[in-house]
Amino acid sequence: SRDSQLTRHPITSTGRSQIRATSKTTRIHLIKTSAPPITETRAAMSLARLLAEETQTCPSSLLPSEVLATCREWEATESTKYDCTRDDYLKSFAPGKHAGVTANYLSFNTAQATPHFVERARLLTECTGGTINFAAAQDIAEDPILDIGSAAATGAELHDAYLMIYSFTSEASSLGLLETLNDRIRSSNHLLQYEDIFPKVRSMGEYRKGGKTNIDLLMADGDFFVPVVRIDLLERDGLPLPHTWDDLVELARHFNGTDLNDDGESDDDWGFCVYPRTGSGFNDAWIPELMYSTWATTDQTKGIQEGFYFDDETFEPRIGAGFERAMNTWKDLWPLSADGCITSTFVEGRCAIGLAPPGCWKGTFVNSEEGGVAWRNRTNPDGSDVEVDWGPVMRDENGKPLWRPTMKDGTYAEPYRLRPFGSLEVVDRRTGALVKCSPATCPKGEKIKASSELPEDDRAR
């Protein structure tokens, strides 16, 4: 899915099911048009074979007219079985192309991580006749490798594709156990638009071998933390966008415990909503990454190629002023925060600022048919200006919308996506002390723009 551009959990394929589908089609299309005349018996056998293989194409140059008529009748009947009209990708398939083919897909936490995959699989089945069977891994790191195999053990090879963590795939790529996808991407890139994936994430699915870059993984989503802010609240209180971790703490304190959705209550309104929080299940493991992302802004000044966990010379942990600053930031934020993803806190308008992976925000703003944020300024189906329908917002038992975020002029206040927070101070690695950011100390730093300096079409201007 192009919408899910950024990724930690890629999908890879062993190509087993694809081989079965391709071989079936090849037997049909390798029939030569210069073949000798077909007897009635041979024609009946050919038609029987065609019907058995469920192809959608009758070879008109090979079949006698009476057999061809029967084949055409069957072909017309078959075409009504399949629907490939839903989008341009499905339109690229011949209806029924993979009828009878089954692919086994090892997923993980599908309902939360990739619920849209199930719907896409259903549409693919309706178009091609092929079936994708979903199975659930218990351990996203280990279970795919047990099926694919490794240098130490042959895999069970029960599945054809996997949702897995990219950092666990290197051995399988080096052993050639994963299908290289370069040719598939090249042939359908007008639909996929592979280059539109975030470059750093795109490179995570590549494996350099024999002087060639093999694309063994298609990245499905990206687990980095995206901040969003309620610009309607900033406008209401005359406050600027938060650009640093200190700004975030200050704003979270300002809004925490105040009425953020005009429901007259403030006890359960939060300055900051974050995912994950304790109780997020297996994603609790990401909580340290929140701390590290803050630590990196003071200690990783030269770009992502520069490490900051350990000393370059001694390999001692670099626990110092930057680490302390990061831990104190989260010590301040934690009591001001609630979950922003697996509960309805954000979609009810009870959060001022959010920080979560992209998949969380997609589920909040886009995926929900019911119970999501009003994500577009829609109007009533009849086109009237009375009682504007804002789209799928959460409603109470009487059907009244719980939250309609608006600017002062009445326009819809879609939560504003920000660049990740930074720091005005960084660690001097010679002294270990925090120093002010400057072109010398922060070669990757950027000047913070005032609201008036933002582009005219920027909603936070």
Side-chain angles (χ1 to χ4, degrees):
S1 168
R2 288 187 55 215
D3 291 337
S4 298
Q5 298 169 0
L6 309 175
T7 209
R8 173 188 178 98
H9 308 319
I11 300 171
T12 186
S13 166
T14 58
R16 291 189 288 271
S17 284
Q18 290 87 339
I19 291 173
R20 291 198 295 269
T22 303
S23 63
K24 179 181 290 186
T25 305
T26 302
R27 288 200 299 272
I28 296 300
H29 291 286
L30 284 182
I31 298 174
K32 296 182 179 180
T33 57
S34 58
I38 300 178
T39 65
E40 184 174 349
T41 301
R42 289 182 59 200
M45 292 175 60
S46 297
L47 180 56
R49 185 184 67 180
L50 289 170
L51 296 176
E53 301 220 355
E54 298 191 70
T55 180
Q56 300 304 122
T57 303
C58 293
S60 56
S61 62
L62 297 179
L63 297 179
S65 57
E66 63 276 11
V67 178
L68 182 59
T70 303
C71 186
R72 293 290 193 201
E73 182 179 347
W74 164 84
E75 187 178 55
T77 301
E78 284 293 295
S79 65
T80 62
K81 286 185 179 181
Y82 307 105
D83 181 5
C84 296
T85 63
R86 301 297 185 93
D87 56 44
D88 288 342
Y89 175 71
L90 294 174
K91 289 176 183 177
S92 69
F93 286 94
K97 177 179 181 180
H98 298 310
V101 177
T102 297
N104 296 317
Y105 170 55
L106 186 61
S107 186
F108 179 75
N109 191 33
T110 307
Q112 183 178 343
T114 55
H116 55 294
F117 280 19
V118 178
E119 174 64 11
R120 291 302 301 177
R122 183 185 67 80
L123 293 176
L124 190 68
T125 297
E126 290 180 358
C127 169
T128 69
T131 301
I132 299 177
N133 292 329
F134 282 72
Q138 299 302 308
D139 188 318
I140 191 174
E142 295 183 1
D143 289 357
I145 300 302
L146 291 175
D147 192 76
I148 294 170
S150 64
T154 301
E157 297 187 353
L158 300 177
H159 300 93
D160 304 290
Y162 310 83
L163 184 73
M164 58 195 303
I165 300 174
Y166 82 95
S167 54
F168 283 76
T169 63
S170 297
E171 183 180 27
S173 289
S174 69
L175 295 173
L177 298 177
L178 303 179
E179 179 186 7
T180 298
L181 304 173
N182 299 51
D183 290 341
R184 291 184 183 272
I185 292 171
R186 188 179 297 111
S187 64
S188 57
N189 196 45
H190 62 290
L191 296 168
L192 179 64
Q193 297 188 28
Y194 181 74
E195 65 280 358
D196 196 42
I197 300 174
F198 190 65
K200 174 59 182 175
V201 174
R202 190 172 63 214
S203 68
M204 294 176 181
E206 299 172 354
Y207 185 81
R208 190 77 178 171
K209 182 177 182 180
K212 179 184 177 183
T213 298
N214 294 334
I215 303 172
D216 288 351
L217 313 169
L218 277 182
M219 312 312 269
D221 72 4
D223 297 332
F224 63 95
F225 299 104
V226 179
V228 295
V229 63
R230 293 267 306 280
I231 57 172
D232 57 313
L233 297 178
L234 299 184
E235 182 192 45
R236 185 193 72 183
D237 293 358
L239 298 171
L241 292 170
H243 295 287
T244 68
W245 292 102
D246 289 340
D247 292 343
L248 171 61
V249 172
E250 183 178 351
L251 276 182
R253 283 176 174 157
H254 173 82
F255 289 117
N256 195 61
T258 65
D259 185 2
L260 302 179
N261 62 354
D262 300 323
D263 65 354
E265 299 179 4
S266 59
D267 292 343
D268 200 23
D269 288 18
W270 301 88
F272 184 51
C273 282
V274 62
Y275 184 82
R277 282 185 61 85
T278 307
S280 300
F282 61 90
N283 285 338
D284 279 358
W286 294 351
I287 293 176
E289 296 179 20
L290 290 167
M291 320 300 177
Y292 298 154
S293 68
T294 309
W295 183 16
T297 58
T298 59
D299 283 54
Q300 191 179 50
T301 59
K302 297 180 181 178
I304 59 175
Q305 74 278 7
E306 180 185 37
F308 62 95
Y309 292 168
F310 302 100
D311 183 275
D312 293 343
E313 300 290 335
T314 66
F315 212 59
E316 289 293 317
R318 295 187 62 256
I319 305 299
F323 180 84
E324 182 180 5
R325 170 74 64 86
M327 298 305 107
N328 283 334
T329 295
W330 282 96
K331 182 180 178 181
D332 291 338
L333 287 172
W334 211 250
L336 306 173
S337 65
D339 171 78
C341 187
I342 59 177
T343 65
S344 61
T345 308
F346 200 99
V347 298
E348 291 181 17
R350 295 188 286 113
C351 296
I353 308 163
L355 186 68
C360 171
W361 298 131
K362 176 182 282 189
T364 300
F365 302 136
V366 179
N367 285 352
S368 300
E369 291 297 328
E370 297 178 353
V373 173
W375 46 276
R376 289 291 181 269
N377 190 3
R378 297 179 176 178
T379 58
N380 280 333
D382 61 5
S384 68
D385 295 328
V386 181
E387 290 296 324
V388 173
D389 177 6
W390 291 67
V393 295
M394 290 197 74
R395 301 173 185 272
D396 63 17
E397 61 275 10
N398 298 317
K400 180 182 178 181
L402 294 177
W403 176 39
R404 285 180 173 176
T406 59
M407 304 298 286
K408 288 181 179 179
D409 63 5
T411 58
Y412 168 56
E414 182 175 349
Y416 185 90
R417 176 175 170 174
L418 293 165
R419 298 187 67 174
F421 305 111
S423 174
L424 297 180
E425 293 185 318
V426 295
V427 170
D428 184 333
R429 293 210 175 190
R430 294 171 299 174
T431 65
L434 287 165
V435 298
K436 289 190 178 299
C437 196
S438 69
T441 59
C442 303
K444 298 286 187 179
E446 295 182 5
K447 178 180 177 292
I448 297 176
K449 293 182 178 180
S451 296
S452 59
E453 297 177 287
L454 296 173
E456 290 189 4
D457 60 349
D458 194 301
R459 295 183 296 116
R461 182 179 170 85

